[in-house]
Structures are given as C-alpha cells and as structure tokens.
Amino acid sequence: MSVFSVPRLRANAREWRESVLFLLLVGPNLLLLAAFTFWPMIYNAYLSTISWNFLSPIRRFVGLRNYETVLSSEIFRVVLINTAVFTVVSVAATMALGLGLALLLNQPLRWREGTRAVLFTPTVLSGAAIAIVWIYIFDPRFGLLAQILGWFGILSPNWLADPNWAMTALLIVYIWKNTGYAVVIYLAGLQTIDRTLYEAARIDGAGPWGQFWHVTLPGLSPIIFFLLVTSILACFQAFDIIRVMTDGGPVNATNMLVYHLYERGFIQSQAGPAGVVAMVMFVLMLILTLLQLRFLERRVHYS
C-alpha cells in the first residue's frame, strides 16, 4: 500500500462516520416526514381519483371526474368566496389590532404585564370552549351583546342563524382569539429594534409618525412577514370554531374549505370529492406562500 493512500483512507473513514451520524440524526425526522406528510399527500392524490365511501371494499377509478364535479358545484364557489373573505378580513384585522396594541403595551404603562397576560389568554384556550362561550354571548334573547345593544335601543340580530351576520360573528370570535398571539410576537420584535435608531431619527427631526414609518416598521418587517405567512395558513385551516358555532351554516354562509372537506369526507362519506377539496387547499396554500416569498420577502430587513 502506498504511503499516500493512508490520509485518503482516514478521510474516507471520517466521511463514513459523518454520514452515519447524519443518518442517525436526520433519519428519524425524514421517516416521520415520509410517514405523516409525504405519504398522506400521495395517498390523498390517489383518493381524489376514485369513487369510494371509506367502507366498501370496492374502489372505482374515475380519473378527473371528481375534480369536475367538485370544482363546477355552486357550493364550492361559495366555499371559496367565504374562505377568501374570512382570510382577508381576519388577517388584516388581527395584524393591525395586534400592532396597535403591541405599540401601546410597549410603553411604560401601569398594569402592562397583566394586560399582556389577559390579551394572550384566548390564544391558549380551546377553540371549541371559546365557541361555546360565544354562542351564549351572541344569543339574541339573553346574550351579553343583546344586553349591550339594548342599552342603546338597538335590536340584536340573530347572529348565528342569520346568513347576513353569521360570518361577522365568526370573524369577531376568530380575531378576538388570535390578536393576543400577534401582540406577543410584535412585542418580541419591538424589543429587538436598536434604541439608537430612534435617537438618530429624533436628531434628524423625525416626529412620532416619522419614527414609526422609518424605524419601527422596517425593524418589524421580519415579524410582519412571519405573521402574514402563518396567519394566512392558519385561516385556511380554521375548523373548530366553525364546527361548534355554525356547522358551516346557515345555508353555507360560513362554510369554508376545511369544513367542506370534513363535510364531504366524514358526513357524506365521499372520499373522492374530499380528496379533491384537500388537493385544492394544498395548491392554494402553496401558491400563496410562494407568492409571498417571491414578492414580499425582498422588502424584509433582517439586520
């Protein structure tokens, strides 16, 4: 054996040890991803092309007929519109309210810590439990909202049974539940902004609005981007509050993508159409995330 081959053999042994260590560390995670993420996606794509009721041993391949049936239905069009309205309004309101409250709570106010805790509490509570409480609050006969509106001589609408008010009721609950999370994330971002930047802005003659526009917003841009991406994805997956409060009704006024998937799959036992709804959700969420990464990430200041 040549003396020049010894270092190479040692290098190979080291590379083998590093490769084995890499597989030991990463392998379990890859297996979990394959079992609980990639395989369900592949299996769902298969489900979307068959006619099956989950119980029958017979599965009939129908190709793209399920897609044609679901995508051309009037209910699916309503579901898409409801999902878009719910996502746009709830994300915009949650992020705006969260930013305003975070700026307020970042000041040296009395009871600041207690207020932060109160705001964050709904985030950690069960969505189903919150929904049950809000059902009583929205009750048009003896609910809290009916009492408050009554003080001003206003007759309470039947929030959850009226198609014109049901979506508004859901949005109120969802925004109330998630604003505290946005506040906490914004507050963490505000702590990372260099105080000397505000001093420099004041020396340059910037007022409160100028400091907010030129220092606070650029400093919070990574936080805003993170909240925007995660909030949109969360809205697409909203289910528990809808299931408990409205069951997608009345007359599909609050029926959204995840609830429609549940309705097709577990109420109507239609594996194929449920698979189609899941595929549509996956494609929409992927497109929205890629668009945000493509057009918004370049405006984020990470330094």
Side-chain angles (χ1 to χ4, degrees), residues 181-236:
Y181 173 75
V183 171
V184 170
I185 301 296
Y186 277 130
L187 281 171
L190 286 170
Q191 306 304 316
T192 65
I193 299 176
D194 191 348
R195 297 291 103 181
T196 58
L197 294 177
Y198 289 103
E199 295 174 11
R202 279 194 292 271
I203 292 171
D204 289 342
W209 173 251
Q211 293 173 39
F212 171 76
W213 187 256
H214 296 292
V215 178
T216 304
L217 270 187
L220 285 178
S221 56
I223 299 297
I224 294 172
F225 182 68
F226 168 78
L227 281 176
L228 183 65
V229 173
T230 55
S231 299
I232 290 176
L233 296 181
C235 284
F236 269 78

Side-chain angles (χ1 to χ4, degrees), residues 104-119:
L104 183 64
L105 293 176
N106 199 41
Q107 306 301 317
L109 301 174
R110 197 177 181 186
W111 304 108
R112 185 177 61 175
E113 303 302 327
T115 308
R116 288 179 181 177
V118 169
L119 282 173

Side-chain angles (χ1 to χ4, degrees), residues 75-93 167 170-171 174-175 228 231-238 242 252-260 280-281 284-285 288:
I75 291 178
F76 190 71
R77 187 182 67 83
V78 173
V79 165
L80 284 180
I81 293 173
N82 289 342
T83 306
V85 170
F86 182 82
T87 301
V88 170
V89 175
S90 61
V91 169
M167 179 62 81
L170 277 187
L171 283 168
Y174 192 82
I175 293 167
L228 183 65
S231 299
I232 290 176
L233 296 181
C235 284
F236 269 78
Q237 300 170 59
I242 301 169
N252 292 306
T254 58
N255 198 349
M256 284 177 269
L257 277 172
V258 169
Y259 188 81
H260 191 52
V280 171
M281 275 187 62
L284 286 177
M285 292 165 75
L288 285 173

